[in-house]
Amino acid sequence: MKLTLSVIKADIGGYVGHSDSHPDILAQAAESLAQAQRSGLLIDYHVTKCGDDLQLIMTHQKGEENETIHKLAWDTFVAGTELAKSLRLYGAGQDLLADAFSGNVKGMGPGVAEMEIEERKSEPVIIFMADKTSSGAWNMPLYKMFADPFNTIGLVIAENMHQGFAFEVHDVKESKKITLNTPEEMYDLLVFIGAPSRYAVKAVYSRQTGEIAAVSSTQRLALIAGRYVGKDDPVCIVRSQGTFPAVGEVLEPFTLPHLVEGWMRGSHHGPFMPVAIPDSIPTRFDGPPRVTAAGFQLADGKLIGPRDMFADISFDIVREQANEIANYMRRHGPFEPHRLPLEEMEYTTMPQVAKKLEGRFSDLK
Ligand code: F6R
Ligand code: MG
Ligand code: MG
């Protein structure tokens, strides 16, 4: 059966500060989606959080970018914002950048990852959710899952994966896209996706079957709003097993707590720490950036799960490493490369300071 899996998320208020989500907000959102399920709009849903972001995971048969589904998400966020305001949660409605819904939540603030698929006999999917970072954070893990034989042995020894995968890359600044095939165009691909603040992997396709393997949210809030309004805190859906990487190959890239943009004031590099869903509470210096993984088996669109994939003790060592890296990076204080380069910082006082001191600069002779 044709099925659409939609993950739509927004930060509509933090508890406390930007560190977590309030349980009442999650409960209210779950009730809103339960109503939509009763009305027949949704096949199934799961509401969860990653840090201060509310995550709506929905299955339906309306296809991608469907107005009714997007309106359901938007209305749920608007109602959540009202509740967040009444609880005086921090930054209530922070990601809702438009006053009224206009057909599609894209470009309105919320993050969206959707895929329409033909559900396989058994369909394991993993939904990754991140807090305190931006959409390019998926570039390295997606590259490793689908193109790196040191991560995914299936690329080498599984007959149905040996042809490789195609990567759709978005230039988030110029609003352009390109598709590159691995393994042959691997070096060209890396030229782009190694610069994650500008180029983000939007989707990955199996070259054997043409089927979609992964999709991410690539909205950059700052580019939509033209000012800092919070980090993108992106999501990513990955299909697994069979012609796709095994669950263990999909999770393996997160054993490296690689440095991502975000953390305090969206203006630092910090280690991407894989955690169990209840541990997505970025508190230390508003971080370090977190990633969670909710695993589901789909059954005629029903979401069987989630299994909290990073709850596994085998990720404990990664968390320890991430904490060590966090300490090391923090010791750089306001210096790069802990602080982001000037053009990437989400907060800056540079224009004011430069203006104030304008007259005190003199030419080097
Ligand atoms: C990062 C983030 C936080 C805030 C910080 C200051 O994405 O959300 O680190 O930037 O707590 O927040 P404001 O400016 O709202 O006081
Ligand atoms: Mg927030
Ligand atoms: Mg957030």
Side-chain angles (χ1 to χ4, degrees), residues 18 52 90 132 228 230-231 263-266 286 347:
H18 293 279
D52 58 4
Y90 194 71
K132 304 291 179 273
Y228 184 61
K231 267 289 173 208
W263 208 348
M264 175 59 79
R265 297 180 186 273
D286 288 2
Y347 279 66

Side-chain angles (χ1 to χ4, degrees), residues 11-14 17-19 52-53 90-91 94-95 131-132 229-230 233:
D11 176 351
I12 52 164
H18 293 279
S19 66
D52 58 4
D53 292 273
Y90 194 71
Q94 149 178 326
D95 286 356
D131 192 30
K132 304 291 179 273
V229 281
D233 302 339

Side-chain angles (χ1 to χ4, degrees), residues 44-114:
D44 204 359
Y45 68 90
H46 179 74
V47 172
T48 187
K49 58 109 186 183
C50 183
D52 58 4
D53 292 273
L54 173 62
Q55 310 279 348
L56 310 179
I57 300 170
M58 301 170 282
T59 52
H60 55 91
Q61 291 194 290
K62 304 253 169 223
E64 294 167 21
E65 301 201 19
N66 177 267
E67 180 164 350
T68 320
I69 298 293
H70 281 224
K71 179 148 192 335
L72 168 66
W74 180 261
D75 290 346
T76 304
F77 294 141
V78 169
T81 298
E82 287 313 308
L83 179 57
K85 282 182 180 160
S86 74
L87 297 170
R88 305 284 195 278
L89 297 184
Y90 194 71
Q94 149 178 326
D95 286 356
L96 304 187
L97 303 180
D99 296 328
F101 180 73
S102 61
N104 188 316
V105 291
K106 277 190 175 167
M108 297 178 72
V112 186
E114 294 181 292

